[in-house]
């Protein structure tokens, strides 16, 4: 009898909880920045419904996968445009049933872009390249492609547009990547009035091209005597900042998101060496002309090991623009807090469980030389 009474009490509590979850309150209704009502429902978390529909172009990239994860975990429906069937499979389990909607697209196909954005109340453009190919060079992706997505989003009535650029975007930069990032910002702002521009610093994380490459090819990070100054930022911090913009009414501004500290490549080389217990690289510093020649020769390979523009970027200090983390409600973390997670795999078996040892941080001047 007691078991039956207990089961009945649990059933009543469950029914009450379901009724409470089904209730709506005034704070569940959002109407900015358009007149379209956005109604959230359900308990916070994976199975909630925020009422937002978001399109993330570049979702299969490094930053994109973490943004999709954070959006889907909140209960946001995410449109994930993809080019390759295999590249988007890992995104499907990130959201509840029906919340992750894959759609095939091509950067040059305007009808496919329009189909990807026509139901969305915010569009993120994370599409970019750090090296040029025969099919997609820097201008076609980061200028023409960005403008096309912004223009079609505006024509489709999308209320908000967020474009991810780079901290070092500059029309006068010697790097073609940074030049096209700056031009892309101008084109996007002209095509979509009120677009938000995000300028993150160099990203690090599990699939990064910073800590992993330093552990594998330290010789290429010794260019410029490893004195180049950088402001690395955790990819999870930037992803959280972008996810927070979904619920923020602010738009039409440029937000810089560099890492909290300015470091040299020399310090990063020491950091990786200290954490992996590998001796510091004894390879000589390669002259810039030789590095450029090697990089140009490597372009003959289908997957370039090092592009000429990347060599140029090794000699450019990160911009010293003040950070705007308060605008996105995120406190960035230092690279020492997370580095071991991503480079522990490069330790030998006998060193795998040894304690972490961090090098002493040098004093770095903030007078950045462009």
């Amino acid at each position: 009898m007691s078991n039956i009474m207990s089961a009945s009490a649990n059933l009543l509590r469950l029914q009450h909880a379901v009724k409470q979850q089904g209730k709506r309150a005034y704070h569940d209704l959002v109407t900015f920045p358009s007149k379209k009502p956005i109604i959230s429902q359900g308990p916070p978390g994976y199975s909630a419904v925020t009422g937002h529909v978001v399109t993330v172009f570049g979702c299969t990239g490094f930053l994109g996968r973490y943004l999709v994860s954070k959006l889907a975990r909140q209960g946001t429906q995410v449109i994930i445009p993809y080019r390759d069937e295999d590249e988007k499979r890992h995104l499907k389990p990130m959201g509840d049933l029906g919340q992750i909607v894959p759609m095939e697209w091509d950067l040059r196909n305007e009808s496919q872009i329009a189909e990807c954005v026509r139901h969305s109340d915010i569009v993120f453009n994370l599409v970019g390249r750090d090296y040029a190919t025969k099919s997609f060079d820097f201008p076609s992706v980061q200028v023409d492609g960005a403008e096309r997505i912004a223009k079609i989003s505006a024509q489709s009535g999308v209320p908000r547009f967020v474009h991810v650029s780079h901290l070092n975007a500059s029309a006068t930069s010697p790097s073609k990547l940074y030049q096209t990032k700056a031009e892309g910002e101008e084109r996007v702002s002209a095509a979509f009035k009120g677009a938000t521009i995000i300028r993150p610093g160099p990203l690090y994380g599990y699939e990064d091209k910073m800590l992993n490459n330093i552990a594998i090819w330290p010789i290429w990070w010794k260019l410029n005597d490893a004195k180049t100054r950088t402001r690395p930022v955790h990819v999870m911090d930037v992803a959280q900042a972008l996810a927070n913009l979904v619920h923020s009414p602010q738009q039409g501004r440029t937000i810089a998101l560099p890492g909290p500290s300015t470091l040299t490549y020399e310090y990063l080389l020491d950091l990786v060496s200290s954490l992996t217990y590998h001796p510091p690289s004894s390879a000589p510093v390669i002259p810039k002309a030789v590095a450029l020649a090697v990089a140009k020769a490597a372009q003959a390979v289908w997957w370039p090991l090092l592009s000429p523009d990347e060599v140029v970027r090794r000699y450019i200090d990160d911009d010293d623009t003040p950070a705007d983390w308060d605008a996105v409600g995120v406190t960035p973390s230092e690279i020492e807090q997370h580095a071991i997670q991503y480079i522990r795999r490069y330790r030998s078996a006998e060193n795998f469980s040894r304690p972490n040892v961090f090098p002493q941080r040098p004093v770095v001047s903030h007078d950045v030389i462009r």
Side-chain angles (χ1 to χ4, degrees):
M1 180 65 70
S2 61
N3 291 339
I4 295 176
M5 294 179 62
S6 177
S8 299
N10 290 336
L11 180 60
L12 289 173
R13 281 196 292 268
L14 179 61
Q15 290 174 343
H16 177 72
V18 171
K19 288 180 180 179
Q20 289 297 111
Q21 293 173 8
K23 290 183 178 180
R24 301 290 181 270
Y26 181 75
H27 64 264
D28 293 323
L29 176 64
V30 180
T31 58
F32 69 81
S34 67
K35 300 300 181 182
K36 176 184 175 183
I38 298 172
I39 304 174
S40 62
Q41 62 181 341
Y46 180 88
S47 297
V49 176
T50 63
H52 290 280
V53 180
V54 177
T55 300
V56 181
F57 290 100
C59 59
T60 57
F62 178 35
L63 175 59
R65 66 184 65 197
Y66 294 105
L67 175 57
V68 171
S69 175
K70 289 188 177 293
L71 291 173
R73 190 176 298 179
Q74 299 171 358
T76 299
Q77 188 175 54
V78 187
I79 312 299
I80 53 170
Y82 69 94
R83 294 175 58 208
D84 191 318
E85 181 73 29
D86 292 334
E87 289 182 351
K88 54 86 176 175
R89 288 184 175 180
H90 62 284
L91 301 176
K92 189 68 174 177
M94 291 181 178
D96 208 348
L97 186 64
Q99 293 296 87
I100 303 294
V101 183
M103 300 187 69
E104 189 172 4
W105 83 300
D106 185 272
L107 185 60
R108 300 186 178 100
N109 192 319
E110 295 191 0
S111 62
Q112 287 182 331
I113 296 175
E115 187 66 21
C116 290
V117 305
R118 70 189 185 98
H119 295 295
S120 299
D121 52 81
I122 181 170
V123 172
F124 290 92
N125 178 33
L126 278 61
V127 179
R129 295 208 77 105
D130 57 0
Y131 63 91
T133 65
K134 292 180 180 179
S135 300
F136 293 98
D137 57 10
F138 289 131
S140 64
V141 175
Q142 289 159 180
V143 180
D144 300 335
E147 180 186 32
R148 188 175 299 115
I149 295 173
K151 181 187 69 175
I152 295 174
S153 296
Q155 293 172 350
S156 301
V158 176
R160 302 173 65 197
F161 189 86
V162 179
H163 175 70
V164 177
S165 182
H166 194 281
L167 180 66
N168 295 334
S170 172
T172 59
S173 174
S175 166
K176 195 68 176 177
L177 183 144
Y178 296 154
Q179 289 178 24
T180 53
K181 284 289 187 182
E183 187 177 352
E185 290 180 9
E186 294 179 3
R187 296 275 196 94
V188 166
S189 297
F192 194 107
K193 303 302 181 183
T196 301
I197 308 296
I198 304 296
R199 287 183 167 186
L203 301 175
Y204 65 87
Y206 275 113
E207 303 87 2
D208 71 9
K209 295 183 178 179
M210 176 175 280
L211 293 176
N212 285 286
N213 281 5
I214 289 176
I216 299 173
W217 300 105
I219 186 174
W220 296 116
W221 296 85
K222 297 177 72 174
L223 296 174
N224 197 27
D225 290 325
K227 302 299 182 184
T228 304
R229 284 164 283 192
T230 184
R231 304 170 74 184
V233 60
H234 195 203
V235 66
M236 298 294 281
D237 291 337
V238 177
Q240 186 62 61
L242 294 175
N244 290 350
L245 289 175
V246 174
H247 308 286
S248 172
Q250 66 172 315
Q251 56 179 333
R253 59 175 296 188
T254 298
I255 301 175
L257 301 179
S261 298
T262 301
L263 307 170
T264 63
Y265 287 142
E266 182 179 29
Y267 175 77
L268 294 179
L269 284 164
D270 291 342
L271 176 65
V272 172
S273 177
S274 300
L275 293 178
T276 58
Y277 286 99
H278 291 169
S281 173
S282 58
V285 177
I286 300 177
K288 185 176 183 179
V290 175
L292 285 171
V294 172
K296 290 177 181 178
Q299 287 185 302
V301 183
W302 177 75
W303 189 269
L305 302 176
L306 185 73
S307 69
D309 195 77
E310 190 173 352
V311 173
V312 173
R313 298 197 296 270
R314 289 284 195 274
Y315 290 80
I316 301 176
D317 293 337
D318 281 352
D319 194 270
D320 60 349
T321 302
D324 298 317
W325 288 101
D326 290 340
V328 291
V330 175
T331 301
S333 50
E334 297 286 359
I335 193 171
E336 290 89 348
Q337 296 177 242
H338 305 283
I340 187 60
Q341 302 176 42
Y342 311 128
I343 59 177
R344 184 186 292 274
R345 55 182 150 176
Y346 299 107
R347 286 184 174 185
S348 63
E350 60 181 353
N351 293 327
F352 197 79
S353 299
R354 289 180 64 178
N356 301 329
V357 179
F358 297 101
Q360 184 177 0
R361 275 198 173 193
V363 177
V364 179
S365 170
H366 290 278
D367 296 328
V368 179
I369 301 173
R370 300 299 292 173

